[in-house]
Amino acid sequence: MLIRRSGSCCARALRLSTHHHAIPMAVPSPLSSHLKPFSSFCHPFPRGHGFKPFPQFLSSSCSASPFSSLSSVPSPKPDKRFKTPVAAALLEIGGVKIARDDVVRESDPTNNVPDNIFSKIGLQLHRKDNHPIGILKNAIYDYFDTNYPSKFVKFDDLCPIVSVQQICSLQNFDEVLVPADHVSRSYNDTYYVNADTVLRCHTSAHQAELLREGHSHFLVTGDVYRRDSIDSTHYPVFHQMEGVRVFSPDEWKDSGTDATSYAAMDLKICLEGLARHLFGAVEMRWVDTYFPFTDPSFELEIYFQENWMEVLGCGVTEQDILTRNGRKDSVAWAFGLGLERLAMVLFDIPDIRLFWSTDQRFTSQFSEGKLGVKFKPFSKFPPCYKDISFWISDSFTENNLCEVVRGVAGDLVEEVKLMDKFTNKKGMTSQCYRIAYRSMERSLTDEEINQLQWNVREAVQSKLHVTLR
Ligand code: PHE
């Protein structure tokens, strides 16, 4: 058996999309090599609810070897010093025991979980009261405890690995009505442990099981996993909080409105209050959107630092989800928010990698209950840019490239950006990416960067079936 269980049911996962009809067809299928991609969809899902980039945070400084390309760099021998450490062999989350070999299986073509992702499972930043993510979670808890005393049950230790053995396959998608051809199911976007098991890509994965268990008011906080590009606001592991409230018919029958309008109105009042609790008296607006599991669906935006910023995604739960899970006559609302996105703004944290830093100069700046203390950068270390160009194959995707770069350089990679692309007369396509290396904690040496870039080139060539130029 893949995932050993000693506790209650595990987790499921998924993600959103804003324009269902615009999503290209994609059905997961076994991979022919570890990172063999799916095909070449471009960015299917804006990480709407939690994860649009904040341009004001993108680094502008440039020094140490700016825009150099590796062609002028000598070729050092591979150096083990810069390899990402292999994670602890056995974890336990919410009573579920997880071994590394359960999750990372290089020889299995249906598995695309690398070691650096496995090493994040179990860290549970949202359960650390002195960490910005934990502080924010607790502030949201306070809002619900004050406004709905003893109503919302909180879950923050549900296992992020979803096994298939229960009611239907891929509960993680199916149970929240994600269509079979939805691109979020692709190997290019989601971490598969095997063809039927994934690392959850959103906390909505838990909606159905908790409804079945009879909960009517609940908050689920957890780490979620998505394959994606690399920049200062995107990291393949981040944290979400989900909220669900179920109403029974006697709650809306005297309201003079229908059940859906009643739930939508209650949802908006609740979330506007939450936004004020976190951000103070800000201007807000509601934007219509699409999620497979809610109808109508909305995003809440606030006007903050002279920009409209998306705070969360939400909506009235699809009736089918309620009916399938024993709540036929009810109506419900649900929301999901990205904690990093909000914490970056509330604490002035300029780069998403910092959340994972164990450097005391970062960790010591935050303490329990202190929401919105502004982070003081301890120093600004220079970035270093290196370019890599190659002829791509049909199977090339940017997410796969980012995975390989992250696998070699870990958190020293700050951004991977497409700089140039052309197709020659023979139909061969060349792409040039610029990799920004920068440590949050120290200055990197030229030797170290050259070594990293060398290792990146080797890994890109061997794993991605491209021809370096
Ligand atoms: N699960 C959605 C996402 O990850 C967010 C969401 C949750 C939207 C609940 C609506 C209702 O994008």
Side-chain angles (χ1 to χ4, degrees), residues 54 99 162 219 248 304:
F54 309 115
V162 184
L219 300 173
S248 55
F304 193 77

Coordinates of all heavy atoms in Angstrom, one line a residue, residues 54 99 162 219 248 304:
F54 N 2.9 40.5 -7.4 CA 2.9 41.9 -7.0 C 4.1 42.6 -7.6 O 5.2 42.4 -7.2 CB 3.1 42.0 -5.5 CG 2.2 41.1 -4.7 CD1 2.7 40.1 -3.9 CD2 0.8 41.4 -4.7 CE1 1.8 39.3 -3.2 CE2 0.0 40.6 -4.0 CZ 0.5 39.5 -3.2
A99 N 6.4 7.7 4.4 CA 7.8 7.5 4.2 C 8.2 8.2 2.9 O 7.4 8.3 2.0 CB 8.1 6.0 4.1
V162 N -3.3 12.5 -1.0 CA -4.7 11.9 -1.2 C -4.6 10.5 -1.8 O -4.0 10.3 -2.8 CB -5.4 12.8 -2.1 CG1 -6.8 12.3 -2.3 CG2 -5.4 14.2 -1.7
L219 N -13.3 25.5 9.1 CA -12.1 26.2 8.5 C -11.0 25.1 8.3 O -10.7 24.4 9.2 CB -11.6 27.3 9.4 CG -12.5 28.4 9.7 CD1 -11.9 29.4 10.8 CD2 -12.9 29.2 8.5
S248 N -29.4 25.5 7.0 CA -30.6 24.6 6.9 C -31.8 25.5 6.5 O -31.7 26.7 6.7 CB -30.8 23.8 8.1 OG -31.0 24.7 9.2
F304 N -5.4 48.5 -2.1 CA -4.3 48.5 -1.2 C -3.0 49.0 -1.8 O -2.7 48.5 -2.9 CB -4.1 47.1 -0.6 CG -3.3 47.0 0.6 CD1 -3.8 47.4 1.8 CD2 -2.0 46.6 0.5 CE1 -3.0 47.3 3.0 CE2 -1.2 46.5 1.7 CZ -1.7 46.9 2.9

